[in-house]
């Protein structure tokens, strides 16, 4: 709900910091918010289902240091971004049915934060299943690492779609991510396939 609230707040932002003026879209207002809300609820259900079914492979209940938890969280995100690059570049941008599924997300030519949750349910599932697979490969991990990785993943997804850029510190890096992903949305062949990094 924090993620959905952030998306809606950033979507509604009327600012000179926008990379491009917000274009009118086919789906707006309540219909857009319902679709995004359903995707948010579906995302939450996917994560809860994975935790319920694979808790022992995801989360460790043994004591470990916060330093180790931080390394585990970082390991999850680095591995995820590496694998997501290939999933995004090949199936979702080159292969028939997968490309049509991903085209739903690419309807947003000038993305805003709300577009981080505007995607086909299959793509939503595939991305989160890959994230959970990365947790299993690194893990089982400390509960803090699991929660932090989910939070950072969600927030960076919002940031890359926010459509807002600022050259002021500390926003420069986030703006670089948003600009790169904005280019990505301009065409199905525009590059910038990673999710969390340039």
């Amino acid at each position: 709900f924090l993620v959905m609230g952030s998306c809606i707040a950033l979507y509604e932002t009327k600012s000179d910091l926008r990379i491009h003026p917000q274009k009118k879209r086919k789906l707006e207002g309540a219909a857009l918010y319902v679709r995004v809300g359903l995707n948010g609820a579906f995302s939450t259900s996917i994560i809860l289902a994975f935790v319920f079914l694979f808790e022992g492979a995801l989360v460790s209940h043994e004591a470990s240091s916060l330093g180790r938890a931080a390394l585990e969280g970082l390991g999850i995100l680095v591995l995820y971004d590496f694998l997501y690059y290939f999933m995004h570049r090949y199936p979702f941008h080159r292969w028939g049915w997968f490309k049509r599924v991903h085209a739903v997300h690419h309807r947003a030519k000038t993305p805003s934060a709300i577009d981080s949750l505007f995607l086909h349910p299959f793509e939503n599932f595939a991305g989160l299943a890959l994230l959970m697979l990365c947790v299993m490969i690194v893990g089982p991990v400390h509960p803090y690492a699991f929660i932090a990785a989910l939070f950072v993943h969600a927030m960076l997804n919002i940031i890359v779609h926010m459509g807002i850029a600022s050259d002021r510190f500390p926003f420069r890096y986030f703006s670089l991510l948003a600009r790169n992903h904005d280019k990505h949305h301009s065409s199905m062949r525009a590059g910038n396939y990673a999710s969390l990094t340039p």
Side-chain angles (χ1 to χ4, degrees):
F1 293 107
L2 173 66
V3 171
M4 286 190 302
S6 300
C7 286
I8 291 169
L10 284 170
Y11 174 69
E12 296 294 343
T13 300
K14 309 287 188 240
S15 171
D16 59 346
L17 295 177
R18 285 208 176 274
I19 297 168
H20 301 285
Q22 190 67 40
K23 291 184 179 177
K24 184 150 178 68
R25 43 169 88 221
K26 290 180 184 178
L27 194 62
E28 288 201 348
L32 176 64
Y33 296 142
V34 166
R35 180 125 179 219
V36 166
L38 289 172
N39 251 337
F42 184 56
S43 297
T44 303
S45 300
I46 292 167
I47 293 166
L48 291 175
F50 269 94
V51 170
F52 179 76
L53 295 171
F54 305 107
E55 179 187 3
L58 294 168
V59 179
S60 171
H61 297 290
E62 295 178 17
S64 69
S65 70
L66 287 179
R68 180 180 170 134
L71 285 175
E72 290 171 343
L74 183 62
I76 293 165
L77 294 171
V78 167
L79 180 61
Y80 170 79
D81 206 42
F82 179 75
L83 295 176
Y84 182 81
Y85 172 89
F86 293 101
M87 182 173 81
H88 190 188
R89 180 174 183 168
Y90 294 104
F92 286 128
H93 276 265
R94 304 239 173 119
W95 301 351
W97 182 80
F98 292 97
K99 188 175 177 180
R100 287 191 299 278
V101 162
H102 189 56
V104 170
H105 182 65
H106 271 265
R107 287 181 193 167
K109 297 298 181 199
T110 58
S112 61
I114 206 160
D115 295 309
S116 64
L117 286 169
F118 187 79
L119 62 163
H120 190 281
F122 177 80
E123 183 177 357
N124 194 359
F125 175 79
L128 289 172
L130 179 63
L131 181 62
M132 294 298 111
L133 175 65
C134 291
V135 173
M136 289 179 194
I137 291 169
V138 172
V141 300
H142 191 283
Y144 291 162
F146 182 76
I147 291 167
L150 289 177
F151 180 77
V152 169
H153 170 266
M155 295 285 74
L156 282 174
N157 241 330
I158 291 169
I159 288 166
V160 301
H161 288 96
M162 69 183 172
I164 296 172
S166 172
D167 289 327
R168 292 187 177 167
F169 180 82
F171 304 108
R172 284 186 192 134
Y173 178 73
F174 298 136
S175 296
L176 171 67
L177 295 176
R179 283 185 181 112
N180 282 343
H181 202 72
D182 186 75
K183 288 176 195 170
H184 172 78
H185 272 262
S186 68
S187 161
M188 287 293 274
R189 297 176 187 226
N192 296 300
Y193 298 107
S195 175
L196 309 175
T197 64

